[in-house]
Amino acid sequence: TSGDNDEPFTLSVFDITGRLVMNQSGYSTKENSQIPLDFSNMSNGMYIVRLETATQNVSQKVIVNNR
């Protein structure tokens, strides 16, 4: 459940072709703004991680190299 100061977020991961491969929604708080991601079952390569909140949209390239 969300509290008064919680901010809803959507975190999406896309592969290099633009296909959505992971999607997660929830609430972040000032006390806990970390969102764990597990890339261990994903194929090696480049992905785009996009974080959307009510106040910002951030995209970041991530390289996965599982051995």
Side-chain angles (χ1 to χ4, degrees), residues 25-52:
S25 296
Y27 291 90
S28 64
T29 65
K30 291 181 180 178
E31 296 81 27
N32 183 16
S33 60
Q34 297 181 5
I35 305 166
L37 293 176
D38 182 5
F39 288 98
S40 62
N41 292 323
M42 298 179 76
S43 299
N44 292 345
M46 186 171 73
Y47 295 86
I48 303 296
V49 177
R50 181 171 178 84
L51 176 64
E52 299 178 53

PDB file of all heavy atoms in Angstrom, residues 25-52:
ATOM      1  N   SER A  25       5.982  -2.170 -11.528  1.00  0.00           N
ATOM      2  CA  SER A  25       5.385  -0.948 -10.992  1.00  0.00           C
ATOM      3  C   SER A  25       5.336  -1.048  -9.484  1.00  0.00           C
ATOM      4  O   SER A  25       5.326  -2.139  -8.919  1.00  0.00           O
ATOM      5  CB  SER A  25       3.963  -0.759 -11.526  1.00  0.00           C
ATOM      6  OG  SER A  25       3.975  -0.584 -12.914  1.00  0.00           O
ATOM      7  N   GLY A  26       5.299   0.104  -8.849  1.00  0.00           N
ATOM      8  CA  GLY A  26       5.217   0.112  -7.394  1.00  0.00           C
ATOM      9  C   GLY A  26       5.261   1.526  -6.872  1.00  0.00           C
ATOM     10  O   GLY A  26       4.954   2.483  -7.589  1.00  0.00           O
ATOM     11  N   TYR A  27       5.668   1.648  -5.628  1.00  0.00           N
ATOM     12  CA  TYR A  27       5.768   2.947  -4.971  1.00  0.00           C
ATOM     13  C   TYR A  27       7.145   3.074  -4.351  1.00  0.00           C
ATOM     14  O   TYR A  27       7.628   2.140  -3.706  1.00  0.00           O
ATOM     15  CB  TYR A  27       4.707   3.090  -3.871  1.00  0.00           C
ATOM     16  CG  TYR A  27       3.319   3.187  -4.414  1.00  0.00           C
ATOM     17  CD1 TYR A  27       2.553   2.051  -4.629  1.00  0.00           C
ATOM     18  CD2 TYR A  27       2.765   4.421  -4.723  1.00  0.00           C
ATOM     19  CE1 TYR A  27       1.271   2.131  -5.141  1.00  0.00           C
ATOM     20  CE2 TYR A  27       1.473   4.515  -5.238  1.00  0.00           C
ATOM     21  CZ  TYR A  27       0.749   3.367  -5.441  1.00  0.00           C
ATOM     22  OH  TYR A  27      -0.515   3.455  -5.958  1.00  0.00           O
ATOM     23  N   SER A  28       7.778   4.215  -4.560  1.00  0.00           N
ATOM     24  CA  SER A  28       9.041   4.497  -3.891  1.00  0.00           C
ATOM     25  C   SER A  28       8.778   5.491  -2.768  1.00  0.00           C
ATOM     26  O   SER A  28       7.839   6.284  -2.822  1.00  0.00           O
ATOM     27  CB  SER A  28      10.068   5.064  -4.872  1.00  0.00           C
ATOM     28  OG  SER A  28       9.643   6.314  -5.373  1.00  0.00           O
ATOM     29  N   THR A  29       9.593   5.406  -1.746  1.00  0.00           N
ATOM     30  CA  THR A  29       9.478   6.318  -0.613  1.00  0.00           C
ATOM     31  C   THR A  29      10.795   7.049  -0.429  1.00  0.00           C
ATOM     32  O   THR A  29      11.816   6.649  -0.989  1.00  0.00           O
ATOM     33  CB  THR A  29       9.149   5.549   0.683  1.00  0.00           C
ATOM     34  OG1 THR A  29      10.254   4.707   1.000  1.00  0.00           O
ATOM     35  CG2 THR A  29       7.885   4.728   0.548  1.00  0.00           C
ATOM     36  N   LYS A  30      10.786   8.098   0.346  1.00  0.00           N
ATOM     37  CA  LYS A  30      12.033   8.798   0.641  1.00  0.00           C
ATOM     38  C   LYS A  30      12.986   7.887   1.399  1.00  0.00           C
ATOM     39  O   LYS A  30      14.194   7.986   1.265  1.00  0.00           O
ATOM     40  CB  LYS A  30      11.756  10.070   1.439  1.00  0.00           C
ATOM     41  CG  LYS A  30      11.054  11.121   0.627  1.00  0.00           C
ATOM     42  CD  LYS A  30      10.815  12.377   1.431  1.00  0.00           C
ATOM     43  CE  LYS A  30      10.094  13.403   0.568  1.00  0.00           C
ATOM     44  NZ  LYS A  30       9.794  14.630   1.290  1.00  0.00           N
ATOM     45  N   GLU A  31      12.456   6.974   2.193  1.00  0.00           N
ATOM     46  CA  GLU A  31      13.292   6.050   2.960  1.00  0.00           C
ATOM     47  C   GLU A  31      13.822   4.910   2.098  1.00  0.00           C
ATOM     48  O   GLU A  31      14.863   4.350   2.381  1.00  0.00           O
ATOM     49  CB  GLU A  31      12.500   5.460   4.131  1.00  0.00           C
ATOM     50  CG  GLU A  31      12.069   6.466   5.169  1.00  0.00           C
ATOM     51  CD  GLU A  31      10.800   7.230   4.765  1.00  0.00           C
ATOM     52  OE1 GLU A  31      10.000   6.676   3.991  1.00  0.00           O
ATOM     53  OE2 GLU A  31      10.639   8.376   5.211  1.00  0.00           O
ATOM     54  N   ASN A  32      13.097   4.542   1.052  1.00  0.00           N
ATOM     55  CA  ASN A  32      13.496   3.400   0.225  1.00  0.00           C
ATOM     56  C   ASN A  32      13.241   3.725  -1.238  1.00  0.00           C
ATOM     57  O   ASN A  32      12.153   3.495  -1.748  1.00  0.00           O
ATOM     58  CB  ASN A  32      12.731   2.134   0.632  1.00  0.00           C
ATOM     59  CG  ASN A  32      13.170   0.931  -0.165  1.00  0.00           C
ATOM     60  OD1 ASN A  32      14.213   0.946  -0.803  1.00  0.00           O
ATOM     61  ND2 ASN A  32      12.373  -0.111  -0.138  1.00  0.00           N
ATOM     62  N   SER A  33      14.255   4.258  -1.890  1.00  0.00           N
ATOM     63  CA  SER A  33      14.101   4.606  -3.297  1.00  0.00           C
ATOM     64  C   SER A  33      14.859   3.653  -4.205  1.00  0.00           C
ATOM     65  O   SER A  33      15.061   3.935  -5.376  1.00  0.00           O
ATOM     66  CB  SER A  33      14.573   6.046  -3.534  1.00  0.00           C
ATOM     67  OG  SER A  33      15.930   6.170  -3.175  1.00  0.00           O
ATOM     68  N   GLN A  34      15.310   2.509  -3.690  1.00  0.00           N
ATOM     69  CA  GLN A  34      16.021   1.526  -4.492  1.00  0.00           C
ATOM     70  C   GLN A  34      15.034   0.527  -5.082  1.00  0.00           C
ATOM     71  O   GLN A  34      14.101   0.084  -4.412  1.00  0.00           O
ATOM     72  CB  GLN A  34      17.060   0.792  -3.657  1.00  0.00           C
ATOM     73  CG  GLN A  34      18.145   1.701  -3.138  1.00  0.00           C
ATOM     74  CD  GLN A  34      19.176   0.935  -2.342  1.00  0.00           C
ATOM     75  OE1 GLN A  34      19.131  -0.283  -2.246  1.00  0.00           O
ATOM     76  NE2 GLN A  34      20.109   1.645  -1.763  1.00  0.00           N
ATOM     77  N   ILE A  35      15.283   0.182  -6.345  1.00  0.00           N
ATOM     78  CA  ILE A  35      14.444  -0.792  -7.045  1.00  0.00           C
ATOM     79  C   ILE A  35      15.357  -1.900  -7.543  1.00  0.00           C
ATOM     80  O   ILE A  35      16.158  -1.682  -8.456  1.00  0.00           O
ATOM     81  CB  ILE A  35      13.707  -0.141  -8.230  1.00  0.00           C
ATOM     82  CG1 ILE A  35      12.900   1.063  -7.761  1.00  0.00           C
ATOM     83  CG2 ILE A  35      12.810  -1.170  -8.929  1.00  0.00           C
ATOM     84  CD1 ILE A  35      12.419   1.950  -8.881  1.00  0.00           C
ATOM     85  N   PRO A  36      15.308  -3.082  -6.944  1.00  0.00           N
ATOM     86  CA  PRO A  36      16.199  -4.161  -7.387  1.00  0.00           C
ATOM     87  C   PRO A  36      15.768  -4.704  -8.750  1.00  0.00           C
ATOM     88  O   PRO A  36      14.579  -4.830  -9.035  1.00  0.00           O
ATOM     89  CB  PRO A  36      16.053  -5.216  -6.291  1.00  0.00           C
ATOM     90  CG  PRO A  36      14.714  -4.952  -5.688  1.00  0.00           C
ATOM     91  CD  PRO A  36      14.456  -3.481  -5.834  1.00  0.00           C
ATOM     92  N   LEU A  37      16.763  -5.003  -9.584  1.00  0.00           N
ATOM     93  CA  LEU A  37      16.526  -5.614 -10.887  1.00  0.00           C
ATOM     94  C   LEU A  37      17.357  -6.877 -10.995  1.00  0.00           C
ATOM     95  O   LEU A  37      18.531  -6.878 -10.616  1.00  0.00           O
ATOM     96  CB  LEU A  37      16.918  -4.662 -12.019  1.00  0.00           C
ATOM     97  CG  LEU A  37      16.079  -3.416 -12.185  1.00  0.00           C
ATOM     98  CD1 LEU A  37      16.672  -2.532 -13.279  1.00  0.00           C
ATOM     99  CD2 LEU A  37      14.664  -3.788 -12.539  1.00  0.00           C
ATOM    100  N   ASP A  38      16.780  -7.936 -11.526  1.00  0.00           N
ATOM    101  CA  ASP A  38      17.493  -9.196 -11.696  1.00  0.00           C
ATOM    102  C   ASP A  38      17.681  -9.454 -13.184  1.00  0.00           C
ATOM    103  O   ASP A  38      16.724  -9.776 -13.892  1.00  0.00           O
ATOM    104  CB  ASP A  38      16.715 -10.330 -11.037  1.00  0.00           C
ATOM    105  CG  ASP A  38      17.422 -11.667 -11.136  1.00  0.00           C
ATOM    106  OD1 ASP A  38      18.572 -11.715 -11.633  1.00  0.00           O
ATOM    107  OD2 ASP A  38      16.828 -12.671 -10.719  1.00  0.00           O
ATOM    108  N   PHE A  39      18.920  -9.319 -13.643  1.00  0.00           N
ATOM    109  CA  PHE A  39      19.243  -9.556 -15.047  1.00  0.00           C
ATOM    110  C   PHE A  39      19.850 -10.943 -15.261  1.00  0.00           C
ATOM    111  O   PHE A  39      20.315 -11.253 -16.352  1.00  0.00           O
ATOM    112  CB  PHE A  39      20.239  -8.500 -15.552  1.00  0.00           C
ATOM    113  CG  PHE A  39      19.636  -7.134 -15.725  1.00  0.00           C
ATOM    114  CD1 PHE A  39      19.787  -6.171 -14.751  1.00  0.00           C
ATOM    115  CD2 PHE A  39      18.925  -6.824 -16.866  1.00  0.00           C
ATOM    116  CE1 PHE A  39      19.238  -4.907 -14.911  1.00  0.00           C
ATOM    117  CE2 PHE A  39      18.366  -5.561 -17.034  1.00  0.00           C
ATOM    118  CZ  PHE A  39      18.523  -4.613 -16.052  1.00  0.00           C
ATOM    119  N   SER A  40      19.867 -11.795 -14.241  1.00  0.00           N
ATOM    120  CA  SER A  40      20.589 -13.068 -14.327  1.00  0.00           C
ATOM    121  C   SER A  40      20.006 -14.026 -15.366  1.00  0.00           C
ATOM    122  O   SER A  40      20.734 -14.859 -15.900  1.00  0.00           O
ATOM    123  CB  SER A  40      20.626 -13.750 -12.955  1.00  0.00           C
ATOM    124  OG  SER A  40      19.315 -14.053 -12.514  1.00  0.00           O
ATOM    125  N   ASN A  41      18.723 -13.909 -15.678  1.00  0.00           N
ATOM    126  CA  ASN A  41      18.111 -14.806 -16.663  1.00  0.00           C
ATOM    127  C   ASN A  41      17.974 -14.168 -18.039  1.00  0.00           C
ATOM    128  O   ASN A  41      17.327 -14.732 -18.917  1.00  0.00           O
ATOM    129  CB  ASN A  41      16.733 -15.258 -16.177  1.00  0.00           C
ATOM    130  CG  ASN A  41      16.828 -16.151 -14.962  1.00  0.00           C
ATOM    131  OD1 ASN A  41      17.740 -16.953 -14.848  1.00  0.00           O
ATOM    132  ND2 ASN A  41      15.912 -15.996 -14.038  1.00  0.00           N
ATOM    133  N   MET A  42      18.595 -13.002 -18.219  1.00  0.00           N
ATOM    134  CA  MET A  42      18.465 -12.306 -19.500  1.00  0.00           C
ATOM    135  C   MET A  42      19.671 -12.599 -20.380  1.00  0.00           C
ATOM    136  O   MET A  42      20.769 -12.849 -19.889  1.00  0.00           O
ATOM    137  CB  MET A  42      18.311 -10.807 -19.262  1.00  0.00           C
ATOM    138  CG  MET A  42      17.046 -10.498 -18.472  1.00  0.00           C
ATOM    139  SD  MET A  42      16.808  -8.768 -18.134  1.00  0.00           S
ATOM    140  CE  MET A  42      16.245  -8.207 -19.720  1.00  0.00           C
ATOM    141  N   SER A  43      19.464 -12.560 -21.675  1.00  0.00           N
ATOM    142  CA  SER A  43      20.544 -12.780 -22.626  1.00  0.00           C
ATOM    143  C   SER A  43      21.533 -11.624 -22.569  1.00  0.00           C
ATOM    144  O   SER A  43      21.170 -10.491 -22.243  1.00  0.00           O
ATOM    145  CB  SER A  43      19.981 -12.881 -24.050  1.00  0.00           C
ATOM    146  OG  SER A  43      19.087 -13.960 -24.159  1.00  0.00           O
ATOM    147  N   ASN A  44      22.785 -11.924 -22.886  1.00  0.00           N
ATOM    148  CA  ASN A  44      23.798 -10.882 -22.944  1.00  0.00           C
ATOM    149  C   ASN A  44      23.426  -9.861 -24.007  1.00  0.00           C
ATOM    150  O   ASN A  44      22.841 -10.200 -25.039  1.00  0.00           O
ATOM    151  CB  ASN A  44      25.163 -11.476 -23.273  1.00  0.00           C
ATOM    152  CG  ASN A  44      25.704 -12.326 -22.147  1.00  0.00           C
ATOM    153  OD1 ASN A  44      25.227 -12.267 -21.022  1.00  0.00           O
ATOM    154  ND2 ASN A  44      26.708 -13.129 -22.439  1.00  0.00           N
ATOM    155  N   GLY A  45      23.766  -8.609 -23.764  1.00  0.00           N
ATOM    156  CA  GLY A  45      23.507  -7.563 -24.738  1.00  0.00           C
ATOM    157  C   GLY A  45      23.172  -6.249 -24.068  1.00  0.00           C
ATOM    158  O   GLY A  45      23.280  -6.095 -22.850  1.00  0.00           O
ATOM    159  N   MET A  46      22.759  -5.291 -24.887  1.00  0.00           N
ATOM    160  CA  MET A  46      22.427  -3.969 -24.386  1.00  0.00           C
ATOM    161  C   MET A  46      20.919  -3.858 -24.193  1.00  0.00           C
ATOM    162  O   MET A  46      20.138  -4.323 -25.015  1.00  0.00           O
ATOM    163  CB  MET A  46      22.902  -2.884 -25.351  1.00  0.00           C
ATOM    164  CG  MET A  46      22.710  -1.491 -24.787  1.00  0.00           C
ATOM    165  SD  MET A  46      23.475  -0.209 -25.781  1.00  0.00           S
ATOM    166  CE  MET A  46      22.357  -0.160 -27.170  1.00  0.00           C
ATOM    167  N   TYR A  47      20.533  -3.207 -23.108  1.00  0.00           N
ATOM    168  CA  TYR A  47      19.138  -2.973 -22.777  1.00  0.00           C
ATOM    169  C   TYR A  47      18.962  -1.505 -22.397  1.00  0.00           C
ATOM    170  O   TYR A  47      19.910  -0.842 -21.989  1.00  0.00           O
ATOM    171  CB  TYR A  47      18.701  -3.857 -21.595  1.00  0.00           C
ATOM    172  CG  TYR A  47      18.719  -5.330 -21.921  1.00  0.00           C
ATOM    173  CD1 TYR A  47      19.883  -6.074 -21.788  1.00  0.00           C
ATOM    174  CD2 TYR A  47      17.580  -5.969 -22.378  1.00  0.00           C
ATOM    175  CE1 TYR A  47      19.915  -7.428 -22.094  1.00  0.00           C
ATOM    176  CE2 TYR A  47      17.592  -7.320 -22.691  1.00  0.00           C
ATOM    177  CZ  TYR A  47      18.764  -8.037 -22.546  1.00  0.00           C
ATOM    178  OH  TYR A  47      18.786  -9.368 -22.864  1.00  0.00           O
ATOM    179  N   ILE A  48      17.747  -1.025 -22.535  1.00  0.00           N
ATOM    180  CA  ILE A  48      17.404   0.318 -22.091  1.00  0.00           C
ATOM    181  C   ILE A  48      16.480   0.168 -20.886  1.00  0.00           C
ATOM    182  O   ILE A  48      15.438  -0.490 -20.960  1.00  0.00           O
ATOM    183  CB  ILE A  48      16.680   1.127 -23.194  1.00  0.00           C
ATOM    184  CG1 ILE A  48      17.521   1.200 -24.462  1.00  0.00           C
ATOM    185  CG2 ILE A  48      16.300   2.514 -22.674  1.00  0.00           C
ATOM    186  CD1 ILE A  48      18.825   1.943 -24.313  1.00  0.00           C
ATOM    187  N   VAL A  49      16.869   0.772 -19.766  1.00  0.00           N
ATOM    188  CA  VAL A  49      16.051   0.778 -18.557  1.00  0.00           C
ATOM    189  C   VAL A  49      15.393   2.146 -18.470  1.00  0.00           C
ATOM    190  O   VAL A  49      16.061   3.173 -18.526  1.00  0.00           O
ATOM    191  CB  VAL A  49      16.913   0.512 -17.302  1.00  0.00           C
ATOM    192  CG1 VAL A  49      16.057   0.593 -16.042  1.00  0.00           C
ATOM    193  CG2 VAL A  49      17.594  -0.847 -17.411  1.00  0.00           C
ATOM    194  N   ARG A  50      14.076   2.157 -18.366  1.00  0.00           N
ATOM    195  CA  ARG A  50      13.328   3.416 -18.310  1.00  0.00           C
ATOM    196  C   ARG A  50      12.543   3.469 -17.009  1.00  0.00           C
ATOM    197  O   ARG A  50      11.763   2.560 -16.704  1.00  0.00           O
ATOM    198  CB  ARG A  50      12.389   3.527 -19.497  1.00  0.00           C
ATOM    199  CG  ARG A  50      11.593   4.827 -19.505  1.00  0.00           C
ATOM    200  CD  ARG A  50      10.835   4.983 -20.818  1.00  0.00           C
ATOM    201  NE  ARG A  50      10.036   6.175 -20.822  1.00  0.00           N
ATOM    202  CZ  ARG A  50      10.472   7.389 -21.136  1.00  0.00           C
ATOM    203  NH1 ARG A  50      11.733   7.560 -21.467  1.00  0.00           N
ATOM    204  NH2 ARG A  50       9.665   8.424 -21.125  1.00  0.00           N
ATOM    205  N   LEU A  51      12.755   4.541 -16.250  1.00  0.00           N
ATOM    206  CA  LEU A  51      12.047   4.774 -14.997  1.00  0.00           C
ATOM    207  C   LEU A  51      11.134   5.968 -15.193  1.00  0.00           C
ATOM    208  O   LEU A  51      11.585   7.049 -15.574  1.00  0.00           O
ATOM    209  CB  LEU A  51      13.029   5.050 -13.862  1.00  0.00           C
ATOM    210  CG  LEU A  51      12.399   5.396 -12.515  1.00  0.00           C
ATOM    211  CD1 LEU A  51      11.606   4.213 -11.975  1.00  0.00           C
ATOM    212  CD2 LEU A  51      13.460   5.842 -11.528  1.00  0.00           C
ATOM    213  N   GLU A  52       9.845   5.759 -14.948  1.00  0.00           N
ATOM    214  CA  GLU A  52       8.854   6.824 -15.096  1.00  0.00           C
ATOM    215  C   GLU A  52       8.170   7.059 -13.759  1.00  0.00           C
ATOM    216  O   GLU A  52       7.691   6.121 -13.131  1.00  0.00           O
ATOM    217  CB  GLU A  52       7.805   6.445 -16.138  1.00  0.00           C
ATOM    218  CG  GLU A  52       8.384   6.220 -17.519  1.00  0.00           C
ATOM    219  CD  GLU A  52       7.321   5.797 -18.512  1.00  0.00           C
ATOM    220  OE1 GLU A  52       6.307   6.509 -18.625  1.00  0.00           O
ATOM    221  OE2 GLU A  52       7.514   4.751 -19.151  1.00  0.00           O
TER     222      GLU A  52
END
